[in-house]
Amino acid sequence: MHITRGATLTELLVATTIMLIVSLQASTYSSQLAQAVMKFEHRIKLEDELRALQFVLTENIKSTDFAAYDHVQPVAFSSVTLPPKPTLTISQFGSEATNSCVLFAYDKNESGVIEASASEQFGYRLRSKAIEYRVKGKACEVTGWHDITDTRSTLITRLRFTITQASSWGTLLEVTIDAQDATYTDIAQTKTFTIGLVNVQA
């Protein structure tokens, strides 16, 4: 006859300890997995945002009537031809990094003239780790621009505009954006791209 005896207190304590260890390991693994998945999602989101920024900046800046003189031939004075009026300038806001603001203009309504009104004056700049969009024709050093990135999710640590080549046909503008995830600051990306600007006087 087989007699089943009950578990001793020691056996129960050992079994309980083993279960606790297994549970803690499973919980730790689960937490690490969730953290890894979350960081992966933030990394993909940051990459998507940089791609979107590249598209928006390229589509707008490439429309610049570079070196246009209000769509009119340069004015001659005493046999000296005045240089075309620049419609793209690079500077910065306050103490932000050099070359972190670009202003440009183009004949949006195709009237034949680049108007002084804000509707044909555009720009992007870095300010307080956000990229801002120019409104009301304001200069780089003036406040009141609108954010197009959100510092609650993305920190823009560098925005740089550099003219890399210039010729009679126009110029090449190189744009560099360094971005960092606001939650996981070890997640960072850099996007560098070039925009071709055609000289309408060429």
Side-chain angles (χ1 to χ4, degrees):
M1 183 176 67
H2 179 71
I3 299 175
T4 303
R5 66 182 181 85
T8 65
L9 180 59
T10 301
E11 290 172 332
L12 286 174
L13 288 174
V14 170
T16 302
T17 301
I18 292 173
M19 288 298 295
L20 285 173
I21 292 172
V22 171
S23 297
L24 285 173
Q25 288 179 337
S27 176
T28 300
Y29 176 75
S30 177
S31 176
Q32 290 174 343
L33 180 61
Q35 181 85 345
V37 170
M38 186 70 70
K39 291 187 74 170
F40 177 76
E41 291 176 349
H42 278 248
R43 183 173 287 106
I44 294 300
K45 183 179 179 181
L46 185 62
E47 291 174 357
D48 288 344
E49 181 153 14
L50 281 175
R51 277 194 292 268
L53 285 170
Q54 177 180 353
F55 177 80
V56 169
L57 268 64
T58 299
E59 288 301 302
N60 281 280
I61 297 175
K62 76 178 184 180
S63 300
T64 301
D65 290 322
F66 182 72
Y69 197 85
D70 290 344
H71 284 244
V72 180
Q73 291 297 320
V75 179
F77 179 74
S78 300
S79 74
V80 176
T81 301
L82 296 177
K85 178 181 178 182
T87 56
L88 184 144
T89 57
I90 300 173
S91 61
Q92 68 279 334
F93 172 83
S95 61
E96 296 289 352
T98 303
N99 298 343
S100 59
C101 177
V102 64
L103 305 180
F104 57 98
Y106 59 85
D107 185 14
K108 185 177 180 180
N109 61 11
E110 299 181 352
S111 65
V113 175
I114 296 179
E115 300 167 5
S117 65
S119 62
E120 295 189 346
Q121 308 295 318
F122 308 93
Y124 296 98
R125 74 178 181 192
L126 176 66
R127 184 188 178 197
S128 301
K129 296 189 176 181
I131 294 180
E132 296 184 328
Y133 179 73
R134 186 184 188 187
V135 293
K136 298 182 179 179
K138 294 183 177 182
C140 282
E141 63 272 15
V142 177
T143 59
W145 290 39
H146 288 173
D147 287 359
I148 63 171
T149 59
D150 188 348
T151 55
R152 292 173 297 181
S153 60
T154 305
L155 303 175
I156 305 298
T157 55
R158 178 172 62 157
L159 176 64
R160 185 181 65 199
F161 300 97
T162 308
I163 293 178
T164 59
Q165 294 183 29
S167 65
S168 59
W169 66 264
T171 193
L172 290 178
L173 179 70
E174 183 181 88
V175 183
T176 300
I177 305 173
D178 288 349
Q180 186 180 61
D181 185 82
T183 303
Y184 301 101
T185 54
D186 59 320
I187 298 176
Q189 297 282 337
T190 296
K191 176 74 73 174
T192 299
F193 52 96
T194 302
I195 305 172
L197 308 174
V198 178
N199 186 345
V200 298
Q201 297 296 332

